[in-house]
Amino acid sequence: MVAIIDYDAGNIKSVEKALQALGENAVITRDKACILEVDKVILPGVGAFGDAMQKLEDYGLTDVIREVAEKGTPFLGICLGLQLLFERSEESEGVDGLGILPGEILRIPEAPGLKIPHIGWNSLSYPNQGRLFTGVKENSYVYFVHSYYLRSSDPSIVTAETEYGTRIHASVEKDNIFACQFHPEKSSAVGLTILKNFISLT
């Protein structure tokens, strides 16, 4: 069973449908007991960093997420869900992130001919081996929608990168914590393989 954390932050149903396509049981919930009992947890998200952190606080979910991380349950952050795992974001100055992983979220720099937000398909390179990408060839394309990107303080946790006006840390892995800036649930067969690798973790 996979719990998809519900904190009013978008793209929840598309994640649920992708898991169902893989034959996985998924529950959309903000029930703390349920989140702590399931085999895997996903934190999706589309929206603003500060608003999302406030919602997590309002629903009493920040401590639950930290407890999931500490107990070793496989945890996957998607898009904004990746960003919230880190310490801070330029999008919402003065707002603390969950701080589970070291790093900050920066705005994609303006450049001639570069559209922001970044919406579309970009290829991935693999600076470090990541379990999410088993069976996914390097330079495979995945789907992004974002104006801010991760700069991890620890290069060793970065398992995928992409280029869009700057070098973007597109996926990270540390112990039981996984996260993707892109949307695997919208990334066709490649994305389904990534999600399948996550739900297959033991």
Side-chain angles (χ1 to χ4, degrees):
M1 176 69 74
V2 178
I4 302 169
I5 296 178
D6 179 9
Y7 64 112
D8 304 330
N11 81 306
I12 289 175
K13 282 294 184 183
S14 57
V15 173
E16 180 188 37
K17 287 179 181 177
L19 293 174
Q20 290 172 345
L22 293 168
E24 182 66 25
N25 291 323
V27 57
I28 296 172
T29 184
R30 61 177 70 109
D31 181 81
K32 300 171 192 177
C34 176
I35 293 168
L36 291 171
E37 289 171 3
V38 295
D39 303 310
K40 313 276 189 321
V41 177
I42 294 178
L43 179 68
V46 173
F49 186 94
D51 291 344
M53 281 304 305
Q54 187 61 56
K55 285 284 189 181
L56 290 176
E57 290 283 357
D58 290 347
Y59 289 130
L61 292 169
T62 54
D63 288 342
V64 178
I65 292 170
R66 292 189 180 99
E67 189 171 345
V68 168
E70 289 170 7
K71 71 184 291 208
T73 302
F75 184 99
L76 175 64
I78 295 175
C79 194
L80 181 59
L82 168 143
Q83 298 181 5
L84 297 171
L85 292 172
F86 289 84
E87 295 164 292
R88 68 189 69 85
S89 174
E90 286 187 343
E91 184 177 23
S92 304
E93 296 288 353
V95 176
D96 291 333
L98 291 165
I100 291 170
L101 297 174
E104 59 185 342
I105 309 303
L106 306 175
R107 183 166 174 80
I108 297 172
E110 302 280 349
L114 196 73
K115 293 183 178 179
I116 300 173
H118 169 208
I119 301 175
W121 298 81
N122 266 54
S123 61
L124 298 174
S125 60
Y126 301 152
N128 298 293
Q129 186 172 3
R131 285 175 284 169
L132 288 185
F133 301 102
T134 302
V136 178
K137 292 181 180 179
E138 194 162 22
N139 299 315
S140 292
Y141 280 78
V142 291
Y143 190 76
F144 289 84
V145 182
H146 63 127
S147 299
Y148 293 81
Y149 72 99
L150 165 65
R151 184 169 65 191
S152 172
S153 300
D154 181 359
S156 72
I157 71 173
V158 179
T159 54
E161 296 180 332
T162 196
E163 290 279 350
Y164 193 78
T166 188
R167 198 68 175 163
I168 289 169
H169 293 162
S171 189
V172 294
E173 173 183 338
K174 184 178 182 183
D175 302 324
N176 59 307
I177 306 299
F178 302 80
C180 304
Q181 178 60 68
F182 57 88
H183 288 272
E185 78 281 7
K186 297 180 180 178
S187 296
S188 192
V190 167
L192 287 178
T193 298
I194 291 167
L195 287 173
K196 185 176 181 180
N197 287 336
F198 175 70
I199 62 179
S200 299
L201 292 168
T202 55

